[in-house]
Amino acid sequence: MTLLEAGKILNTHGVKGELKIENYCDDEIFFKKIKTVYIDSLPYNIISKRSHKNFILAVLENIDTVDKAMALKNKIMYFDKDSIKLRKGQFFISDIIDFDVFDERSAGLIGKLMRVDELPHTRLYVVCNSNNVDILIPDVPEFIKNIDFESKVITVSTIEGMLPDEN
């Protein structure tokens, strides 16, 4: 089982053990697909969940009082990656970490994908080159051309000045 972060429990909501959760998933629709979460390695079935402002409010099985809910405050909730079916073309960010990144323009390997940062309007691929210098590539079709899961290769098309040796 591979566990991925679903969100952080920020507080309680109401008096019956409902939890206020900061959603780490792409959107609330994805979060609503999750049936079971893991907190401190223990599984909890989700009884109900709903959107509230920019948060998710959820009730977990056996968490039916404010005191039980308060004990979970500031904990990270995880979900089993294999429990979620993705649509064609979708993937988990964790699936592409450490992929080699090749540039069409320079026709060569520019580094490995180390992480993907979430920004308000896009994602930013952080590629580390052989000199341990980070190259930042926006996750937009103009730059990210192809992701080959079989070869573990991401093909990008950079622009002049994007690569460190061009500055």
Side-chain angles (χ1 to χ4, degrees):
M1 174 168 40
T2 302
L3 296 178
L4 300 176
E5 291 183 359
K8 180 178 181 179
I9 301 169
L10 299 176
N11 213 337
T12 62
H13 184 81
V15 295
K16 295 185 179 181
E18 194 168 34
L19 301 168
K20 180 180 180 182
I21 302 163
E22 178 183 359
N23 183 12
Y24 288 179
C25 302
D26 280 351
D27 55 37
E28 64 190 50
I29 295 167
F30 183 89
F31 190 95
K32 289 181 178 181
K33 293 179 185 179
I34 300 169
K35 305 273 188 252
T36 302
V37 292
Y38 297 82
I39 304 168
D40 293 335
S41 300
L42 298 173
Y44 292 88
N45 291 324
I46 300 175
I47 304 300
S48 68
K49 51 195 164 231
R50 61 190 171 101
S51 300
H52 180 69
K53 299 183 182 175
N54 292 328
F55 303 98
I56 302 288
L57 300 179
V59 176
L60 304 181
E61 188 174 42
N62 298 322
I63 305 298
D64 52 8
T65 67
V66 172
D67 290 337
K68 288 180 182 178
M70 280 302 290
L72 301 177
K73 186 175 177 180
N74 293 318
K75 302 261 185 185
I76 302 296
M77 302 171 75
Y78 297 86
F79 69 95
D80 179 5
K81 174 183 165 183
D82 296 330
S83 71
I84 302 293
K85 290 271 191 209
L86 297 177
R87 291 189 317 258
K88 186 176 180 174
Q90 286 186 316
F91 57 89
F92 293 106
I93 297 296
S94 62
D95 292 341
I96 63 172
I97 300 301
D98 288 330
F99 275 27
D100 288 327
V101 180
F102 284 85
D103 182 23
E104 290 178 334
R105 187 173 59 88
S106 68
L109 176 68
I110 60 171
K112 282 202 176 290
L113 181 67
M114 302 311 293
R115 68 179 193 275
V116 178
D117 292 344
E118 295 284 339
L119 301 176
H121 299 289
T122 190
R123 291 186 180 118
L124 200 60
Y125 284 35
V126 181
V127 178
C128 186
N129 71 8
S130 60
N131 295 324
N132 269 347
V133 175
D134 287 346
I135 302 163
L136 306 177
I137 304 172
D139 181 15
V140 295
E142 292 81 10
F143 295 117
I144 308 298
K145 296 301 183 181
N146 186 49
I147 300 175
D148 184 339
F149 288 90
E150 196 171 305
S151 302
K152 297 187 176 194
V153 169
I154 299 171
T155 303
V156 300
S157 181
T158 63
I159 56 175
E160 190 172 329
M162 190 179 271
L163 300 178
D165 57 342
E166 298 176 329
N167 294 327

